[in-house]
């Protein structure tokens, strides 16, 4: 099968023919319909983060089940599914207390011991990015890496649920529990930030202030529910948010950029008792410095991993919300491309020109 492989870091992706195994008892073989390009893929291509090579990149993927292992009862061939990197073991304390997105034992989904690799190239093992490797015609994954969705859901839109949508909506719904009347600030209006915005809108927030330094992204945020826009090129975001909230600050802020500067700003714009949720991926060396006195008024700051998802519950629900006209996925789709154009898609992302490029497979 054809797949986009990262062979060097930093590096571009190379389209190669690689071999894929048959499902082990707990695995599922999926014919990929669509895969979205996410900033996390780009971080690894650019060498900000390291992974073993060679590896098939991609982790925002939808498809149709082709074959299931002997122990799989959750899906059958023909089912439509979305893959998720929040693969859970189902047995650890986090999984058993309803927090599978921070599973303590995700390695349980790996093939053990002397088994052959899931993917290989002339006998040389090829890795699957985030245990998925979605930039490929097929994926072979553990059954705990997929959620079943309605066959009515268009599979190109469904791919978006695999990472960006689940992270952004989940940050608002699950991590921060935004409630009616909330006042919200969102730093960064890429795929994650836009979904925080629509999650806040659906939750009944009365004010949703969006901050970005890209005017096109700010304009897009209006279509997702933003009530106020702050251009960080020309205005100090914290001062602007204070002014827009009558000097109080917001009840909930979200950082979806991945920098210590915006993380600090997200904390500094909080009202008394407010909560900052940090979603963006920061470099390993980044430190976030905060004024200690601000904790006195019960301001909080918390992390967020993949929207604190329970993806087998969340993803079919989000698909239904799209089908019911309550979720905007159409305006996230910047372009649909073939696998051979994957590097062009990442160049457009780097230039800030796209929200999501989606690879579709015929
Ligand atoms: C990422 C966030 C950083 C760790 C790996 C997964 N999520 C989505 O792209
Ligand atoms: Zn991602």
């Amino acid at each position: 099968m054809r797949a986009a492989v990262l062979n060097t870091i930093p590096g571009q992706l190379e389209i190669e023919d690689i071999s894929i195994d048959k499902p082990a008892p707990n695995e599922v073989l999926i014919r990929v319909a669509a895969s979205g390009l996410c900033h996390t893929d780009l971080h690894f291509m650019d060498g900000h983060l390291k992974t073993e090579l060679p590896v098939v990149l991609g982790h925002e993927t939808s498809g149709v089940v082709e074959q299931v292992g002997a122990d799989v009862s959750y899906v059958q061939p023909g089912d439509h599914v979305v893959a998720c990197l929040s693969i859970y073991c189902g047995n650890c304390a986090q999984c058993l207390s309803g927090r599978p997105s921070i599973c303590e034992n995700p390695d349980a989904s790996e093939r053990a011991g002397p088994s052959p690799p899931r993917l290989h190239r002339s006998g040389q093992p090829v890795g699957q990015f985030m245990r998925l490797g979605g930039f490929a015609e097929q994926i072979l994954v553990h059954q705990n890496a997929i959620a079943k969705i309605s066959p009515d859901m268009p599979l190109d839109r469904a791919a978006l649920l695999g990472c960006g949508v689940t992270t952004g909506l989940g940050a608002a719904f699950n991590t921060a529990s935004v409630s009616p009347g909330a006042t919200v600030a969102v730093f960064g209006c890429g795929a994650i930030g836009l979904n925080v915005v629509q999650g806040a809108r659906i939750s009944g927030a009365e004010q949703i202030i969006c901050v970005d330094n890209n005017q096109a992204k700010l304009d897009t945020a209006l279509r997702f529910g933003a009530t106020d826009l702050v251009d960080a090129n020309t205005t100090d975001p914290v001062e602007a948010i204070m002014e827009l909230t009558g000097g109080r600050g917001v009840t909930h802020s979200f950082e979806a950029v991945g920098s210590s500067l915006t993380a600090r700003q997200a904390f500094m714009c909080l009202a008394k008792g407010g909560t900052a949720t940090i979603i963006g991926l920061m470099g390993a060396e980044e430190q976030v410095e905060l004024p200690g006195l601000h904790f006195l008024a019960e301001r909080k700051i918390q992390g967020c991993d993949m929207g604190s998802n329970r993806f087998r519950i969340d993803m079919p629900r989000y698909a239904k919300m799209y089908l019911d006209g309550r979720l905007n996925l159409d305006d996230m789709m910047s372009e649909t491309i073939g696998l051979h154009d994957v590097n062009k898609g990442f160049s457009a992302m780097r230039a800030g020109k796209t929200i999501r490029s989606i690879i579709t497979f015929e």
Side-chain angles (χ1 to χ4, degrees):
M1 63 149 184
R2 283 182 316 134
V5 182
L6 183 66
N7 288 300
T8 59
I9 291 180
Q12 297 271 297
L13 298 180
E14 293 171 59
I15 309 304
E16 300 183 20
D17 231 322
I18 62 171
S19 305
I20 188 161
D21 204 11
K22 297 254 177 282
N26 55 16
E27 290 176 347
V28 180
L29 180 67
I30 294 158
R31 173 70 46 183
V32 174
S35 268
L37 277 56
C38 171
H39 261 102
T40 301
D41 301 301
L42 193 57
H43 279 308
F44 284 82
M45 287 170 70
D46 287 350
H48 303 150
L49 294 160
K50 302 272 179 276
T51 181
E52 272 180 39
L53 300 176
V55 65
V56 176
L57 237 56
H59 63 279
E60 193 176 73
T61 299
S62 66
V64 180
V65 173
E66 258 185 9
Q67 223 180 320
V68 299
D71 295 344
V72 175
S73 57
Y74 173 65
V75 286
Q76 56 185 36
D79 282 345
H80 289 198
V81 294
V82 179
C84 185
L85 62 85
S86 301
I87 304 167
Y88 56 91
C89 76
N91 297 311
C92 71
Q94 299 293 357
C95 283
L96 292 173
S97 49
R99 304 183 76 185
S101 65
I102 48 170
C103 170
E104 286 165 5
N105 194 17
D107 287 346
S109 68
E110 300 280 10
R111 283 187 166 185
S115 338
R118 287 182 183 140
L119 306 180
H120 72 90
R121 169 171 85 179
S122 313
Q124 178 199 24
V126 177
Q128 299 167 291
F129 186 59
M130 299 287 162
R131 303 186 177 91
L132 301 175
F135 296 156
E137 291 172 314
Q138 291 169 301
I139 56 171
L140 178 60
V141 298
H142 191 277
Q143 60 175 329
N144 289 6
I146 54 170
K148 197 162 40 174
I149 54 161
S150 161
D152 296 336
M153 179 70 186
L155 283 165
D156 53 358
R157 269 69 176 164
L160 301 170
L161 306 180
C163 180
V165 171
T166 291
T167 301
L169 290 181
F173 295 152
N174 304 329
T175 318
S177 302
V178 173
S179 50
T183 53
V184 174
V186 181
F187 291 79
C189 296
I192 310 287
L194 291 174
N195 281 287
V196 174
V197 171
Q198 61 179 337
R201 184 199 76 225
I202 292 164
S203 299
E206 67 180 34
Q207 192 174 20
I208 304 172
I209 304 167
C210 289
V211 182
D212 206 300
N213 54 17
N214 178 323
Q215 191 57 48
K217 290 188 179 172
L218 286 173
D219 292 341
T220 306
L222 291 173
R223 297 207 285 275
F224 287 77
T227 60
D228 302 271
L229 305 179
V230 175
D231 180 349
N233 289 308
T234 54
T235 326
D236 177 81
V238 176
E239 280 175 23
I241 292 165
M242 285 300 167
E243 204 171 307
L244 287 164
T245 54
R248 279 189 297 277
V250 291
T251 61
H252 298 79
S253 66
F254 296 87
E255 196 279 346
V257 176
S259 88
S260 49
L261 173 72
T262 42
R264 186 170 196 280
Q265 290 170 337
F267 184 71
M268 296 307 291
C269 70
L270 288 176
K272 289 185 174 186
T275 302
T277 300
I278 309 300
I279 313 167
L281 179 60
M282 281 180 233
E285 306 304 319
E286 287 223 46
Q287 307 282 326
V288 183
E289 208 168 296
L290 304 171
L293 270 184
H294 282 233
F295 290 105
L296 200 56
E298 301 194 359
R299 294 181 181 88
K300 301 169 224 20
I301 185 162
Q302 63 181 347
C304 172
D305 186 356
M306 290 294 292
S308 313
N309 71 75
R310 302 85 27 96
F311 69 85
R312 280 197 182 176
I313 302 171
D314 299 334
M315 288 182 179
R317 185 176 287 164
Y318 299 157
K320 183 165 189 320
M321 284 163 66
Y322 172 77
L323 292 171
D324 291 347
R326 299 171 63 216
L327 206 60
N328 185 355
L329 301 179
D330 298 346
D331 286 325
M332 285 180 67
M333 306 265 303
S334 310
E335 57 173 1
T336 301
I337 59 175
L339 185 63
H340 55 281
D341 275 332
V342 63
N343 290 309
K344 280 192 200 155
F346 280 115
S347 299
M349 176 186 283
R350 208 179 265 117
K353 291 189 186 143
T354 47
I355 302 295
R356 274 297 191 257
S357 301
I358 305 287
I359 298 170
T360 53
F361 297 83
E362 296 315 322

